[in-house]
Amino acid sequence: MISFDYLVIGSGSAGLSFALEVADSGTVGIITKKNKAESNTNYAQGGIATVLDDTDSYDKHVKDTLTAGAGLCDVNVVEKIVESGPKTIRKLIEMGADFTSKEGKLDLVREGGHSHNRIIHAADMTGREIERVLLAKVEAHPNITVLEHHYAMELITEHHMGSKVTKYTDDKHCYGAYVLNTKSDTVERVLAKATLLATGGAGQVYLHSTNPEIATGDGVAMAYRAKARVSNMEFIQFHPTALHHPEADSFLISEAVRGHGAILRNTAGEAFMENYDERKELAPRDIVARAIDDQLKKRGDDFVYLDVRHIDKSVMLESFPNIYAKCLEHNMDMATDLIPIVPAAHYMCGGVWTTIDGETTISGLFAAGEVACTGIHGANRLASNSLLEALVVAERAAVKAREYAGKSLLNETVPEWDDSGTVNMEEWVLISHNIRELQQIMWDYVGIVRSDLRLNRAFRRTRMLHDEVESFYQRTKVSVPLCQLRNMISVSYLIIKSALKRKESRGLHYTTDYPFMKEEVEHHNIL
Ligand code: FAD
Ligand code: SIN
């Protein structure tokens, strides 16, 4: 048994900033399933949206966020997060974050849906810079232990002590997590007074995603099994511009490239965005992704092009060194070549329901970052609002977690993990095949454009996968691939179920059966 005052699951921007905020009031254990830097955060390119320019205002940032969110944002949450932006950025700079400056001022760029230049960035590797400074601080703190290659399997609640826990149980508590140490292959009880879920997103449930392998939706699946409230899972954001190349693995071409004037062209060389939205390439992501999807379907093409040939090469090299180098690695010179791109799954707007202070519906369990649904993004996230949300909500959650931990005791009656009756099956082909099948189903039937027919088909197919994998899970010794597959099926189920419940098109959820947004008061899908 291992115990801490605070257990943090995940070492991205949300987990690390929370850990730093609580570390002076107790011991902190950060568990992370791979090496400590591996996270969506580490791959973030464009930057963090915040109001720093004198001619910009909180009101404008709030308005842009609400417009993108298509009527489903919580205005109070949006205002609070937006207004915390400058302070959060200053804190990162004080920690040593080296954001790009021009003429002695932070360089502010633009992305889709923003009415003003307000994205601060570290060239096109903003996430790596944030991860670097946060990790350096975490590693220097005597109260924080980082356990790499530790995989959280289940949140511990009264259920594990033999009580019946349902979604109707009012007073549920989280006492930590069962964690698989993947080096020693043992399951450990990690007890804590307060636990933060900071496990990031679930892009891996789709065949094509900008997200790294860690993004398998473990946090949402664990919280759902523990009977926490999960909401708005139908809103999956597809980033319009991922590199289309057999070896590039949906590498992201930042929206900031369009902010610098890049043009989208079909394979006939025609710029097409003006046919879809007056903001053209800088329309919000859902509109741009759907426009590309429409071009692909109409023309029977596999990709469209991003054209930056008219932008000065030195500007591209200075602002996008990482993207430029990646394209060159695949024999494409952005200065002279058109870059083939396709949309790819990018961000989960829904997640574990929380207050703006990261409180979930289970006492002692907090959530922040992409795993959480605070209400800031509504039906569609505004570009570069997620790092901002992760950092602000983690800080606020730390205040509540400190209060909670201060009046709680560790629950040492938690039993050990029981794996009696399971054997090592060595049937890994079943797992890899099922993962591929699930990703294909989600890509084909639950993607950018949906219909009841496709969603119902996806529902039936994932149910079959669910039944097969549950029975396998009951008989098999736990492993990370098996747990991830099980979680990815749960998350897919939640996405499909929520999508089926929404009988309208709103934000990221577009269905040909109900192509319009309902006029009446919007609803949130709570599962
Ligand atoms: P993450 O950074 O994803 O961290 C999750 C952590 O949890 C990881 O350490 C992971 O290993 C760990 N974990 C997961 N499951 C388990 C488990 N079961 N057990 C133990 N550990 C676990 N947003 C912006 O605002 N601006 C941008 O410019 C931007 N660019 C992006 C570019 C790319 C390519 C991608 C993929 C995303 C981008 N985003 C951007 C989104 C943003 O990066 C993420 O939403 C944000 O970083 C999420 O932070 P997080 O701390 O919630 O999760
Ligand atoms: C990007 O750089 O395009 C990603 C920004 C984001 O996802 O917010």
Side-chain angles (χ1 to χ4, degrees):
M1 185 182 82
I2 306 175
S3 64
F4 300 100
D5 292 316
Y6 304 94
L7 169 63
V8 178
I9 308 177
S11 57
S13 47
L16 297 177
S17 17
F18 175 92
L20 289 170
E21 293 292 329
V22 292
D24 288 339
S25 64
T27 54
V28 185
I30 302 178
I31 61 163
T32 188
K33 64 175 161 180
K34 286 202 163 183
N35 64 53
K36 49 187 174 262
E38 192 57 8
S39 57
N40 273 5
T41 299
N42 206 38
Y43 295 89
Q45 294 184 352
I48 313 181
T50 199
V51 175
L52 290 175
D53 189 89
D54 293 343
T55 58
D56 196 5
S57 69
Y58 292 144
D59 281 352
K60 287 185 196 160
H61 189 178
V62 168
K63 187 162 172 265
D64 293 344
T65 304
L66 298 180
T67 304
L72 274 197
C73 300
D74 181 327
V75 182
N76 179 40
V77 170
V78 175
E79 284 172 355
K80 289 216 163 77
I81 293 178
V82 161
E83 286 165 20
S84 302
K87 186 169 143 250
T88 302
I89 299 302
R90 272 199 301 278
K91 220 169 178 174
L92 285 174
I93 293 172
E94 277 159 21
M95 283 185 202
D98 186 13
F99 294 120
T100 302
S101 295
K102 287 206 174 127
E103 291 157 12
K105 280 176 127 181
L106 283 173
D107 183 40
L108 301 174
V109 294
R110 190 176 292 211
E111 291 179 0
H114 287 275
S115 59
H116 209 282
N117 283 23
R118 64 167 75 97
I119 319 292
I120 64 135
H121 61 107
D124 56 353
M125 291 167 279
T126 311
R128 199 180 302 176
E129 184 59 9
I130 295 173
E131 194 70 15
R132 180 187 73 76
V133 291
L134 291 175
L135 268 177
K137 278 269 171 203
V138 157
E139 280 162 356
H141 202 294
N143 279 359
I144 306 179
T145 309
V146 183
L147 298 171
E148 295 182 305
H149 306 286
H150 278 64
Y151 178 84
M153 292 168 12
E154 293 294 350
L155 296 168
I156 301 170
T157 63
E158 283 81 358
H159 166 79
H160 297 96
M161 266 87 74
S163 303
K164 191 170 162 58
V165 177
T166 72
K167 62 181 175 183
Y168 302 110
T169 311
D170 276 340
D171 206 17
K172 305 183 270 273
H173 297 84
C174 177
Y175 302 112
Y178 286 111
V179 175
L180 178 63
N181 175 339
T182 56
K183 292 285 180 202
S184 63
D185 208 18
T186 49
V187 178
E188 285 154 6
R189 273 173 300 169
V190 182
L191 303 187
K193 294 174 183 167
T195 299
L196 177 82
L197 263 185
T199 46
Q204 286 296 325
V205 304
Y206 286 92
L207 195 57
H208 304 291
S209 172
T210 62
N211 294 189
E213 280 180 10
I214 53 98
T216 52
D218 298 337
V220 171
M222 283 190 286
Y224 182 65
R225 281 198 294 275
K227 307 287 186 266
R229 185 183 294 172
V230 170
S231 73
N232 289 3
M233 287 296 289
E234 68 273 39
F235 299 116
I236 299 294
Q237 185 170 71
F238 288 78
H239 197 293
T241 56
L243 191 56
H244 177 78
H245 189 283
E247 283 150 34
D249 205 15
S250 299
F251 175 78
L252 182 73
I253 311 271
S254 175
E255 190 149 319
V257 176
R258 274 177 286 131
H260 273 67
I263 297 169
L264 286 163
R265 298 188 185 280
N266 60 25
T267 50
E270 297 154 355
F272 55 83
M273 272 314 297
E274 64 192 13
N275 303 330
Y276 296 89
D277 193 285
E278 61 185 13
R279 290 162 290 184
K280 299 192 219 170
E281 275 76 6
L282 287 180
R285 265 178 210 174
D286 56 329
I287 295 170
V288 182
R290 269 200 301 278
I292 296 174
D293 189 68
D294 188 49
Q295 286 288 315
L296 300 182
K297 291 204 169 111
K298 269 190 191 143
R299 302 179 54 81
D301 289 336
D302 289 334
F303 53 83
V304 298
Y305 288 117
L306 193 67
D307 185 1
V308 300
R309 293 171 303 173
H310 53 290
I311 303 174
D312 201 276
K313 182 173 175 177
S314 62
V315 172
M316 289 303 295
L317 277 171
E318 191 192 343
S319 303
F320 305 107
N322 182 37
I323 296 172
Y324 203 104
K326 188 69 170 190
C327 290
L328 219 45
E329 210 179 280
H330 296 294
N331 296 322
M332 288 173 274
D333 185 339
M334 293 182 95
T336 50
D337 298 326
L338 290 165
I339 306 301
I341 55 95
V342 279
H346 183 62
Y347 186 85
M348 179 175 79
C349 291
V352 181
W353 179 94
T354 70
T355 64
I356 191 183
D357 296 315
E359 296 154 305
T360 71
T361 48
I362 298 182
S363 304
L365 178 68
F366 300 82
E370 195 166 336
V371 69
C373 182
T374 59
I376 184 183
H377 306 309
N380 184 18
R381 175 180 68 102
L382 183 66
S384 286
N385 263 357
S386 47
L387 287 168
L388 177 68
E389 181 206 26
L391 295 162
V392 172
V393 176
E395 193 176 328
R396 297 180 67 109
V399 175
K400 294 288 174 187
R402 278 199 303 265
E403 277 169 29
Y404 185 84
K407 52 183 187 348
S408 308
L409 296 172
L410 290 174
N411 185 339
E412 295 185 354
T413 64
V414 171
E416 281 188 38
W417 180 253
D418 180 7
D419 66 354
S420 51
T422 62
V423 290
N424 217 335
M425 291 262 212
E426 311 274 333
E427 284 284 7
W428 304 127
V429 64
L430 298 181
I431 296 175
S432 57
H433 181 92
N434 281 348
I435 289 177
R436 206 71 190 161
E437 197 177 331
L438 180 73
Q439 290 172 327
Q440 189 77 56
I441 292 169
M442 293 300 287
W443 186 255
D444 289 343
Y445 303 141
V446 199
I448 297 171
V449 175
R450 301 164 177 176
S451 70
D452 278 352
L453 186 75
R454 292 183 201 175
L455 291 173
N456 280 315
R457 179 172 288 194
F459 191 81
R460 289 194 299 274
R461 304 268 155 107
T462 43
R463 177 157 286 277
M464 274 162 57
L465 282 173
H466 168 269
D467 293 347
E468 207 173 290
V469 169
E470 271 314 297
S471 128
F472 187 66
Y473 179 82
Q474 298 306 330
R475 292 174 285 128
T476 311
K477 268 203 172 333
V478 284
S479 68
V480 172
L482 178 56
C483 292
Q484 288 186 159
L485 169 60
R486 190 170 174 243
N487 290 338
M488 286 163 72
I489 292 173
S490 298
V491 169
S492 301
Y493 163 82
L494 293 169
I495 297 171
I496 300 166
K497 188 105 195 269
S498 304
L500 277 168
K501 281 171 86 168
R502 187 165 290 284
K503 303 293 185 201
E504 62 165 348
S505 289
R506 184 185 289 274
L508 297 163
H509 175 71
Y510 181 81
T511 159
T512 51
D513 292 314
Y514 315 96
F516 302 108
M517 190 154 94
K518 279 188 184 157
E519 293 281 321
E520 63 260 38
V521 177
E522 72 287 344
H523 71 280
H524 294 263
N525 271 326
I526 306 283
L527 294 170

